[in-house]
Amino acid sequence: MNLADLFTPQARTFVQSGWGSPPESPIPLISIAFGLADPALFPREELLEAAAQVLSRDINAALNYGPSDPALREMIAERLRRENVAADADRVLVGYGSGQILGLLPRVLVEPGDTVIIEAPTFLGAVGQFQRAGARLVGVPVDAEGLDVDALEETLRDLQRQGIRPKFIYTIPTYQNPTGTTLTAARRERLVHLAATYGVLVVEDDAYRDLSFHGPPP
């Protein structure tokens, strides 16, 4: 028996994920290959205290299966509202990380062969998730001011001529991975305008907003 015959075509063409622990090194080093935090910066005492409070208050709910805590969803919604996002706690979905959400996204929106617009370059983990769903990826370049919206408009126009409506535009506008660029306010407005004009969703990956060194992002 050929065990490979047991796997689905999707499993046989599996794209390796772009995250994980870096290889062990005999000398201390800071790897920039992965988005790993420096353990020295972890708020250790605060985390231990918070965990103790939760366990002492309701250990059954904390350690068992169940929905996301309503208070957590409200905290997330309130944070988004402070950033001028019209968020409601009932519409907040809590995942265990961006990888889970990026995996759910194409399962909801993408059929094999559908077109997805991404930045070039972009986060390898997202590329892998979209490829596994069978998406056709179309890259739009990134320059010193972020996503090139002129190139995006040309891409959308060309796809429209072909009768293709992309399922979404995936963008990391703030401290983009891997370039580190931040999309300017003018380009953000243009991006929203283009998305509305062509009827395309915008998926914003906002993982790095809090890593600001020179004032708040746009």
Side-chain angles (χ1 to χ4, degrees), residues 19 21 33 45 53 63 66 71 86-87 99 107 117 119 124-125 129 143 150 154 173 193 200:
W19 52 76
S21 298
E45 297 304 321
Q53 289 180 6
L63 299 182
R107 292 182 64 181
I117 295 177
E119 295 168 327
L124 184 59
Q129 295 285 10
D143 61 21
D150 288 333
E154 183 177 341
H193 173 73
V200 181

Side-chain angles (χ1 to χ4, degrees), residues 77-157:
E78 175 58 31
R79 175 188 173 116
L80 290 171
R81 287 193 289 268
R82 289 198 301 269
E83 297 170 2
N84 297 317
V85 177
D88 184 274
D90 292 336
R91 301 180 66 186
V92 171
L93 174 65
V94 179
Y96 59 69
S98 64
Q100 183 190 26
I101 301 303
L102 291 172
L104 290 173
L105 186 70
R107 292 182 64 181
V108 174
L109 297 174
V110 175
E111 294 282 353
D114 283 345
T115 296
V116 169
I117 295 177
I118 61 173
E119 295 168 327
T122 192
F123 173 43
L124 184 59
V127 171
Q129 295 285 10
F130 303 159
Q131 285 180 332
R132 282 192 284 276
R136 172 199 172 213
L137 303 181
V138 176
V140 175
V142 174
D143 61 21
E145 296 185 345
L147 178 67
D148 184 337
V149 290
D150 288 333
L152 174 63
E153 182 173 21
E154 183 177 341
T155 298
L156 289 168
R157 187 184 302 120

Side-chain angles (χ1 to χ4, degrees), residues 7 17 32-33 45 52 64-66 81 134 160 166 173 180 212:
F7 294 99
S17 65
I32 58 174
E45 297 304 321
N64 223 324
Y65 294 111
R81 287 193 289 268
Q160 187 180 65
S212 175

Side-chain angles (χ1 to χ4, degrees), residues 19 35 98-99 102 105 116-128 130 140-149 152 168-185 187-188 191 201-211 217-218:
W19 52 76
S98 64
L102 291 172
L105 186 70
V116 169
I117 295 177
I118 61 173
E119 295 168 327
T122 192
F123 173 43
L124 184 59
V127 171
F130 303 159
V140 175
V142 174
D143 61 21
E145 296 185 345
L147 178 67
D148 184 337
V149 290
L152 174 63
F168 55 84
I169 301 165
Y170 172 72
T171 177
I172 310 173
T174 305
Y175 314 127
Q176 200 258 4
N177 182 354
T179 67
T181 58
T182 293
L183 193 64
T184 63
R187 288 195 181 189
R188 289 170 191 246
L191 169 60
L201 292 173
V202 175
V203 174
E204 177 187 14
D205 191 343
D206 199 24
Y208 308 107
R209 169 177 285 272
D210 292 330
L211 301 180

